[in-house]
Amino acid sequence: MGYFPVISNYSSSFNGLVRRARSVGLDIMAELKEGRMAVIDIFGSRYSSIHMDIPGVFYLEHAEPEIINPKISQIYSKLIEENGPKLFRMVYTLDGVAVMFDELRTIKLWNHKVAERSVKAPESVLLMALNSDVVSRRFIAWTINLSDYAILATSKVTEEGIKELLYTVKSISADFEPGVYSLKVRKGEERMHIEKLSSPELRPPAEEQR
C-alpha cells in the first residue's frame, strides 16, 4: 500500500525468520529478490560471524548498544533515499532487544530512536511485536504507553481446538471502542483470517489484564 517494509531482526537466525514469515504467507526471499523489502539482521550481526550475502539484508559491523542507533540510522537513511520516506518498520521482537541489551538500556535506546525517526521519517509506521512472557510488567507498560495502538494476542486450548484471539486495547482514533477478534491461519494464498466477535465472555484472563 505504498510502504516499503523493513524488518529489524533481534530474535532469530535469518533462516528462522524466513521460515516463520513463510508460515503466515510472507515469502521474505522472494520479496528481497524483487527489491520490495529489507531486513536488518541485528541477531546475526551480534551472534554470528557468517553473514548471508543477499541483496536487501543488512548487517552491522558491531552490534553494541552504545553505537547501534547511529549505524541503524545510516541504513534507514539509505533506504529512505532509495525508496522514499514511507517505511513500514517491524521490530522482531522487542523482547529480543530487551534480552540482548537488558530492559533499562532498551528503553533508553528506543526512546531516542522513536524521537529521531518521528523527525527523519514522519510518514513511516512502526510495528513492535512483544512476547509479554519474556519481559517485566514495567516494560510492557512502557511499550503500551509509547504506542499509538496496542493489540493483545492470546492462544487458548478449547474443546474445539486452539483458539487465537486478538484484543484491541488502545487506539488514537476518536471513535475507538475495544474489541475482540478471532484469528485463523489457513491454507491458500490468503493465510490470515480475522473475524470480529461480540460475545461478552471473551475477555482476557485476569493475569493478562495489565
Side-chain angles (χ1 to χ4, degrees), residues 11-139:
S11 298
S12 172
S13 67
F14 177 78
N15 287 331
L17 178 68
V18 170
R19 289 192 296 269
R20 294 175 192 186
R22 190 181 298 125
S23 71
V24 292
L26 172 61
D27 189 336
I28 286 181
M29 295 303 293
E31 297 299 310
L32 289 170
K33 182 178 179 181
E34 296 298 325
R36 292 195 293 256
M37 73 173 295
V39 174
I40 305 175
D41 190 5
I42 295 94
F43 186 93
S45 300
R46 187 170 177 87
Y47 298 120
S48 176
S49 59
I50 302 174
H51 298 160
M52 297 289 184
D53 186 15
I54 301 173
V57 180
F58 296 88
Y59 293 92
L60 309 181
E61 185 177 351
H62 300 286
E64 302 302 326
E66 295 79 13
I67 58 175
I68 191 171
N69 274 354
K71 290 184 176 295
I72 292 178
S73 292
Q74 291 177 3
I75 296 174
Y76 275 124
S77 296
K78 176 180 172 62
L79 292 174
I80 290 172
E81 182 180 342
E82 295 175 349
N83 303 283
K86 297 181 69 174
L87 302 180
F88 188 95
R89 301 177 287 134
M90 178 181 180
V91 179
Y92 185 82
T93 56
L94 193 56
D95 53 277
V97 187
V99 169
M100 190 177 291
F101 298 136
D102 79 50
E103 290 186 8
L104 183 58
R105 191 172 290 169
T106 296
I107 289 173
K108 292 179 179 179
L109 287 170
W110 228 254
N111 284 339
H112 178 271
K113 182 178 293 187
V114 170
E116 181 184 67
R117 298 291 184 275
S118 68
V119 175
K120 292 187 175 181
E123 297 183 72
S124 67
V125 174
L126 174 62
L127 172 63
M128 299 183 292
L130 174 68
N131 184 341
S132 61
D133 291 331
V134 177
V135 296
S136 68
R137 294 171 66 93
R138 175 193 179 203
F139 192 84

Side-chain angles (χ1 to χ4, degrees), residues 133-192:
D133 291 331
V134 177
V135 296
S136 68
R137 294 171 66 93
R138 175 193 179 203
F139 192 84
I140 295 168
W142 167 79
T143 304
I144 294 175
N145 183 64
L146 187 69
S147 305
D148 289 337
Y149 303 88
I151 300 173
L152 170 66
T154 67
S155 298
K156 294 183 178 180
V157 179
T158 68
E159 293 181 355
E160 293 80 24
I162 297 177
K163 186 172 288 186
E164 302 274 356
L165 297 176
L166 302 178
Y167 301 86
T168 54
V169 297
K170 181 183 178 181
S171 171
I172 58 173
S173 299
D175 57 351
F176 168 71
E177 292 183 0
V180 185
Y181 300 79
S182 69
L183 169 66
K184 295 180 181 178
V185 180
R186 300 172 180 167
K187 293 182 178 180
E189 187 173 342
E190 295 292 331
R191 300 294 305 272
M192 311 292 287

